Amino acid sequence: MDDSNLAAYQRGASARYYGGFYKRLPARIPVPHSGNWNILLEAPGGARYGMSVIRN
């Protein structure tokens, strides 16, 4: 999500994001346009996860 949507999410307001819930990993989430993006990963308590960003 972009900075303004991240700020809205942090306030508990409605925010637009790309991606969603994935049952199979790795998930590939296309970026809809250029610019700076924030990656938010929510996992159940105690879950361990990793992340990498691949630039084309």
Side-chain angles (χ1 to χ4, degrees):
M1 58 180 57
D2 60 20
D3 288 343
S4 61
N5 282 294
L6 178 61
Y9 172 84
Q10 290 171 327
R11 289 191 314 270
S14 178
R16 186 172 182 183
Y17 63 90
Y18 298 90
F21 178 79
Y22 294 92
K23 290 183 179 183
R24 296 186 138 196
L25 299 174
R28 292 182 177 259
I29 305 167
V31 176
H33 56 80
S34 64
N36 294 319
W37 290 87
N38 301 288
I39 299 172
L40 176 67
L41 178 62
E42 288 187 329
R48 296 179 61 171
Y49 53 87
M51 180 185 315
S52 63
V53 177
I54 300 170
R55 293 180 178 208
N56 292 333

